[in-house]
Amino acid sequence: MLLHSARSCLHIGLRWTARSFASSPSASVQNFNVTNPYQVFDRQVKRMQRDRAANLDGGARSTTVDYVRNEVADRLMERFMDIKRQFDTIVDLGSGPGHFTKLLEPDKVKKSIMIDSSSATLHRDPDSEFEVDVERIHADEEDLLQVVKPNSHEAIVSCLSLHWVNDLPGVLIQIKEALKPDGIFLGAMFGGDTLFELRTALQLAEMDREGGISPHISPMTDTGDVSNLLGRAGFTLLTVDIDEVKVAYPSMWELLEDLGHMGENNAVIGRRNCIKRDTLAAASAIYKELHANDDGTVPATFQIIYMIGWKPDPSQPKPLERGSAKVNLQEVL
């Protein structure tokens, strides 16, 4: 999702696709630190964008646009609470200011280790807003095993941070390695239909005003990709499902403004510098014409993929051996 710092120079780009990785041989545990040839995002630029957004008006403006992440964190917490287990320590990977950690209760988790690449975002909110003990670590999410030890944590959670990771397969492998046997990973990330209304409006406007289109929104992963990647990373007992968060805005311009305040500016390597203002004006008109609600507002759809995976352990339930069934399926049908 994302916009350039100048209103007349907009770029949108949420994620790269995981399909090329899902169809490739799985990486071994030993090579997760090897430089990934598929560099899509400039991680340094993304860090600076998020730092800048977190510092706007002393963090006050950033707080007003937490609504999407707060809603997704709340839905992810529902899945976390379904796990009938207590945890001493969990890792909140790509925590931001702590949208998920703020929802933790002491009788469920004693301590949360928050890891984020943006120092300003990580330290935006005071400790008084958390009910559990917190430890904040400023580090790149792509280098998880540089700051945590293998086989050291009971649970790792990631709430809307993986869409900016270049090497998603490698990060999933690192998460699995950082977990203790029978440890759990819960994640939420943007899916392929996120902001489809904005995508179509921009494409049609560019075709009309400039005679062609450029990739302002990069491809995003879908449920099948996530399942494949979790399996190839070595997770077991997988659960993947999709949900949507719909937000209404007065017009496309308010959506773009909020995306910028979220720190969701485009960080794709080799991105186009700007879009003409008349193209943006045309996109705004097309957006309202195609997607407007009955009350005149325009919707923005955020598709969320939720994932749960467990690190293998001999104590986990296993499927019965083939041919061991005692009831003929034809009799059941």
Side-chain angles (χ1 to χ4, degrees):
M1 359 199 234
L2 314 146
L3 105 148
H4 193 273
S5 55
R7 285 286 293 274
S8 61
C9 298
L10 167 78
H11 284 291
I12 310 281
L14 252 182
R15 265 202 52 75
W16 54 281
T17 180
R19 290 185 177 87
S20 59
F21 294 106
S23 60
S24 64
S26 59
S28 64
V29 172
Q30 288 78 15
N31 68 357
F32 48 69
N33 283 325
V34 175
T35 301
N36 176 22
Y38 299 96
Q39 295 294 317
V40 179
F41 302 117
D42 189 326
R43 298 282 296 174
Q44 179 72 1
V45 167
K46 174 47 54 188
R47 180 189 62 79
M48 292 188 295
Q49 290 171 345
R50 296 182 64 222
D51 281 346
R52 187 182 306 115
N55 287 323
L56 287 172
D57 295 337
R61 189 175 302 181
S62 174
T63 304
T64 63
V65 293
D66 281 344
Y67 48 86
V68 173
R69 285 190 169 87
N70 286 340
E71 177 63 25
V72 175
D74 188 64
R75 298 183 187 187
L76 187 61
M77 179 58 67
E78 293 178 1
R79 292 162 170 80
F80 184 70
M81 295 301 294
D82 287 337
I83 302 167
K84 305 306 179 184
R85 182 183 295 187
Q86 293 179 323
F87 301 91
D88 289 329
T89 303
I90 72 164
V91 173
D92 189 350
L93 183 64
S95 64
H99 305 283
F100 181 85
T101 295
K102 290 176 183 177
L103 302 176
L104 293 172
E105 299 178 355
D107 59 349
K108 183 73 171 180
V109 176
K110 294 181 180 178
K111 178 181 178 181
S112 175
I113 299 175
M114 297 164 51
I115 301 175
D116 200 275
S117 58
S118 167
S119 178
T121 305
L122 180 66
H123 295 92
R124 192 195 71 181
D125 298 340
D127 289 349
S128 59
E129 296 192 15
F130 302 90
E131 294 188 30
V132 301
D133 293 335
V134 296
E135 177 184 351
R136 309 183 204 221
I137 299 178
H138 177 215
D140 195 327
E141 296 89 341
E142 291 188 338
D143 297 321
L144 175 62
L145 290 182
Q146 299 296 320
V147 292
V148 301
K149 296 180 180 179
N151 302 303
S152 61
H153 290 284
E154 305 165 83
I156 296 177
V157 177
S158 178
C159 186
L160 296 185
S161 68
L162 296 180
H163 61 284
W164 285 119
V165 168
N166 281 306
D167 184 11
L168 182 57
V171 169
L172 291 175
I173 291 173
Q174 292 188 68
I175 291 172
K176 192 261 294 184
E177 289 302 302
L179 288 170
K180 294 179 179 179
D182 201 34
I184 185 172
F185 165 62
L186 294 92
M189 65 185 300
F190 290 115
D193 285 339
T194 297
L195 297 181
F196 73 89
E197 303 97 341
L198 182 58
R199 183 192 302 117
T200 56
L202 285 170
Q203 290 174 345
L204 291 172
E206 276 197 312
M207 284 292 295
D208 179 62
R209 297 304 172 94
E210 302 182 31
I213 61 174
S214 52
H216 302 292
I217 299 180
S218 44
M220 290 168 278
T221 190
D222 61 25
T223 311
D225 296 332
V226 171
S227 299
N228 291 336
L229 291 173
L230 287 171
R232 288 178 175 272
F235 288 99
T236 187
L237 303 175
L238 306 179
T239 302
V240 178
D241 65 287
I242 294 179
D243 201 356
E244 287 185 350
V245 175
K246 288 185 176 288
V247 183
Y249 295 89
S251 71
M252 186 189 79
W253 300 106
E254 286 76 15
L255 166 61
L256 299 183
E257 185 175 29
D258 278 12
L259 291 175
H261 294 164
M262 292 176 188
E264 293 293 336
N265 311 65
N266 188 22
V268 175
I269 295 174
R271 58 197 175 277
R272 181 182 172 188
N273 290 330
C274 64
I275 298 179
K276 297 178 181 178
R277 179 167 288 275
D278 65 331
T279 302
L280 287 177
S284 178
I286 292 171
Y287 198 132
K288 179 158 289 192
E289 179 67 24
L290 292 180
H291 304 292
N293 296 317
D294 293 339
D295 60 0
T297 61
V298 296
T301 300
F302 298 86
Q303 185 186 60
I304 313 298
I305 300 177
Y306 297 94
M307 64 201 84
I308 301 176
W310 296 78
K311 184 168 182 176
D313 184 76
S315 65
Q316 293 172 349
K318 296 177 177 59
L320 296 175
E321 294 183 3
R322 183 179 179 86
S324 63
K326 298 180 179 180
V327 178
N328 193 314
L329 184 59
Q330 290 182 345
E331 297 178 3
V332 175
L333 296 177

